[in-house]
Amino acid sequence: MTTNNEKDKIVIFDTTLRDGEQSPGATMTLEEKLQVAEILDQMGVDIIEAGFPIASDGDFEAVSEIAKRADKAIIAGLARAIPGDIQRCGEAVKHAKQGRIHTFVSTSPIHLKYQMSKTEDEVLDIIRETVTLARSLCDNVEWSAMDATRTSIDYLSKAVDIAIKAGATTINLPDTVGFTTPEEYCEMFQSVRDNVPDSDKAVFSTHCHNDLGLAVANSLAGLKGGARQIECTINGLGERAGNAALEEVVMALKTRGDVLPYETGIETTSLMKASKLVAAVSGFPVQYNKAIVGKNAFAHESGIHQDGMLKNAGTYEIMTPESVGVRATSLVMGKHSGRHAFKDKLNDLGYDLGDNAFLDVFKRFKDLADRKKNVYDEDIEALVENEVSSKGEANKVEALTVIAGTGGLQKAIVTINVNGVHQTREATGDGPVDATFNAIKAILKHKARLQLYQVHAVTEGTDAQAEVSVRLEEDGYQVTGRSADTDTLVASAKAYVSALNRLDVKKNRPKTLKAS
């Protein structure tokens, strides 16, 4: 629903690169962050929270570089209510056309007692001092009351009043632990706004976690309570059970304008493209039945549903696939398809690759077409995701030979390109996958523990590509690697090495500070 009332314009604040990256195992490289930031900017996200500058030199560099490159979006950095954090954040966003310092402090009794060891009055003083400092460095300041939904309305109102008087232009009242319900969240915003005399001088914001599966519902309820900014992430990526999913929030507003009279500036046809990119660079696959961007979101298997769809798509689809960047058909391609047709197919699927990346993926496509009778959209998507996820990795699988059978231990011979040098090792194991992983471990020595090994077929048939996910943990660090190939063992080896590459990157970065 389009409205002429400016109050009904909802600001979309994306925190995929900050809160989303805090998901265990979701570390992104600088190049990957720049790719995500670019598509967020292009699709109309109003504010991109690019990172937590004080957390590490890598985070500072990412925020600074994104700030320099952003075209339209406001670039925000996160800072604790500590002068050093705020100054570092101000330094990181200063090159943006529009920058924002986002600072936060806890307000709930349980946080004040056990996490901060501060009294309520001490925290109010901290808010006054740190928001004032932030405003002296940047005209655009957001203040968040961490764990707002478990804070008394009276105290929360005092804190908000001080933050606005100190110069905060946006007030965020997050459901940090995913505790609240839609009715409670709506009432909280209404009560705080009624209790704070200068509430009209700031934009109020939601930030909801999905621990009870209510993040999107709570965010929409916050709008009814007076919030006009929603903080969210692509694919709902985030701490624990994740954040409110941007694609779900945006499409709910677009589809149900009759009861949700708000609008955003998001180009919804880019949602699927953004989803695929974030899934690839984070190593977090999208569940098949995920709303809006899941593989089955526009799939119909029931005979009754298919009959209805053939007669009128509106019988079972409340939005069109095209509206979120999904093609309704699955055009089969094969070994006779040329570069032009393949490039058109990539464009249809929402991918825009550079020349070198395109040639690499096209070669993989031709190799795959020689091994598979039909190459489907999902096969091509897996090829592209492999290219994106393996880009810039230090170690790559070059060759794999496995000897398996019913008798005795299995044997694997693996060759890995380690920073330009080929190394080959042979190992045995309790099964071909175990043998393969042991051979890799002999080359890339590590103490990581395998937490997850998961295989699923990208498409149907005995010649389907297998997509493998491998999750590793070492010294408190968790990472996930993914790969796809018609040979399950090759996919397994590549996914395992990809996870080790990610683990190496993460271990060599300073410990990351976290907040919601």
Side-chain angles (χ1 to χ4, degrees):
M1 175 178 179
T2 302
T3 174
N4 293 321
N5 188 342
E6 186 63 28
K7 290 183 180 178
D8 292 330
K9 168 66 165 66
I10 303 305
V11 176
I12 297 298
F13 177 115
D14 184 277
T15 183
T16 303
L17 297 176
R18 199 278 300 171
D19 204 331
E21 203 206 11
Q22 287 179 191
S23 301
T27 300
M28 303 179 203
T29 65
L30 174 61
E31 183 59 35
E32 289 169 343
K33 288 184 176 183
L34 292 174
Q35 290 175 345
V36 174
E38 182 179 13
I39 192 171
L40 293 176
D41 195 17
Q42 290 174 349
M43 69 190 286
V45 167
D46 299 289
I47 300 155
I48 299 171
E49 188 167 54
F52 201 166
I54 197 69
S56 69
D57 290 340
D59 252 32
F60 179 85
E61 181 184 6
V63 176
S64 299
E65 194 61 34
I66 291 170
K68 294 174 185 176
R69 298 189 185 197
D71 181 30
K72 296 172 289 187
I74 295 169
I75 304 304
L78 186 70
R80 294 169 299 179
I82 298 173
D85 275 39
I86 293 169
Q87 290 164 349
R88 184 72 163 164
C89 186
E91 182 70 19
V93 302
K94 72 178 184 181
H95 297 295
K97 291 180 181 177
Q98 301 178 80
R100 172 180 291 191
I101 294 176
H102 178 194
T103 185
F104 69 96
V105 70
S106 293
T107 56
S108 68
I110 190 170
H111 278 216
L112 266 58
K113 180 178 180 180
Y114 293 104
Q115 187 170 11
M116 298 189 67
S117 299
K118 300 285 186 183
T119 66
E120 289 186 345
D121 287 341
E122 287 174 326
V123 169
L124 294 179
D125 289 338
I126 289 171
I127 295 169
R128 184 180 295 106
E129 294 167 5
T130 54
V131 173
T132 298
L133 172 61
R135 186 58 189 266
S136 72
L137 299 173
C138 183
D139 289 338
N140 193 327
V141 175
E142 176 171 340
W143 176 77
S144 291
M146 188 153 73
D147 207 17
T149 54
R150 294 193 294 177
T151 304
S152 72
I153 294 297
D154 286 344
Y155 182 64
L156 187 59
S157 298
K158 290 179 183 177
V160 169
D161 186 48
I162 288 174
I164 292 175
K165 283 184 169 61
T169 52
T170 298
I171 298 294
N172 179 35
L173 305 181
D175 185 25
T176 304
V177 294
F179 173 75
T180 198
T181 63
E183 294 80 7
E184 290 175 339
Y185 204 47
C186 176
E187 291 173 4
M188 181 190 71
F189 278 98
Q190 290 173 335
S191 298
V192 171
R193 292 176 67 243
D194 288 343
N195 289 348
V196 176
D198 293 331
S199 61
D200 59 336
K201 294 181 179 179
V203 174
F204 279 73
S205 178
T206 72
H207 180 114
C208 298
H209 281 260
N210 206 37
D211 298 70
L212 294 177
L214 295 172
V216 171
N218 286 336
S219 298
L220 298 177
L223 300 184
K224 292 187 176 182
R228 287 296 178 267
Q229 174 178 290
I230 291 181
E231 303 190 6
C232 44
T233 61
I234 299 294
N235 297 338
L237 196 66
E239 290 272 19
R240 305 182 311 279
N243 288 43
L246 181 149
E247 61 277 1
E248 295 178 26
V249 167
V250 169
M251 290 310 294
L253 296 178
K254 182 173 181 177
T255 305
R256 291 308 310 274
D258 54 331
V259 293
L260 296 167
Y262 315 104
E263 63 176 354
T264 73
I266 300 296
E267 175 51 61
T268 63
T269 57
S270 296
L271 290 174
M272 181 58 79
K273 182 178 179 181
S275 171
K276 291 181 184 300
L277 175 61
V278 170
V281 301
S282 68
F284 276 51
V286 176
Q287 66 190 64
Y288 280 13
N289 62 337
K290 166 77 170 64
I292 314 301
V293 293
K295 180 179 179 181
N296 291 345
F298 295 96
H300 306 272
E301 185 170 338
S302 162
I304 294 174
H305 286 216
Q306 290 176 346
D307 178 67
M309 287 294 296
L310 290 171
K311 293 172 179 174
N312 187 314
T315 54
Y316 288 101
E317 287 186 350
I318 60 173
M319 66 195 91
T320 66
E322 293 82 3
S323 69
V324 300
V326 177
R327 281 181 59 90
T329 57
S330 180
L331 179 62
V332 177
M333 301 190 72
K335 63 182 181 180
H336 299 297
S337 300
R339 294 187 184 186
H340 182 74
F342 186 66
K343 197 170 191 68
D344 282 347
K345 167 57 70 175
L346 290 180
N347 290 335
D348 289 341
L349 294 174
Y351 295 110
D352 182 16
L353 302 182
D355 292 341
N356 291 336
F358 171 77
L359 291 176
D360 288 343
V361 174
F362 183 68
K363 182 180 184 303
R364 293 186 189 186
F365 160 70
K366 284 292 191 178
D367 292 341
L368 179 63
D370 282 335
R371 302 196 303 270
K372 284 198 72 188
K373 183 176 180 180
N374 295 316
V375 180
Y376 296 93
D377 289 359
E378 292 84 358
D379 292 309
I380 295 172
E381 289 166 358
L383 289 176
V384 176
E385 289 173 8
N386 271 354
E387 172 65 21
V388 171
S389 62
S390 63
K391 188 174 183 180
E393 290 190 343
N395 310 304
K396 294 183 179 180
V397 176
E398 295 290 345
L400 171 66
T401 301
V402 176
I403 300 173
T406 57
L409 293 173
Q410 318 300 305
K411 183 168 71 173
I413 304 170
V414 177
T415 299
I416 297 177
N417 184 329
V418 182
N419 293 312
V421 179
H422 288 71
Q423 296 189 33
T424 301
R425 295 290 187 278
E426 177 181 314
T428 58
D430 186 14
V433 174
D434 187 46
T436 300
F437 287 1
N438 286 340
I440 293 171
K441 189 173 182 179
I443 299 173
L444 305 175
K445 301 185 186 302
H446 65 87
K447 297 180 181 179
R449 184 171 64 90
L450 181 65
Q451 288 192 319
L452 172 73
Y453 172 73
Q454 181 175 286
V455 182
H456 79 267
V458 173
T459 52
E460 298 179 356
T462 56
D463 62 352
Q465 285 193 95
E467 186 172 69
V468 177
S469 296
V470 170
R471 184 183 301 150
L472 300 177
E473 185 276 332
E474 183 178 346
D475 297 333
Y477 296 101
Q478 284 188 336
V479 293
T480 302
R482 296 170 67 201
S483 186
D485 196 277
T486 52
D487 188 320
T488 304
L489 294 175
V490 172
S492 300
K494 290 181 177 179
Y496 193 71
V497 171
S498 177
L500 289 172
N501 284 328
R502 289 171 179 268
L503 184 62
D504 186 57
V505 169
K506 197 161 191 177
K507 287 173 62 180
N508 285 295
R509 288 171 51 185
K511 287 276 189 179
T512 300
L513 299 171
K514 300 183 177 183
S516 292

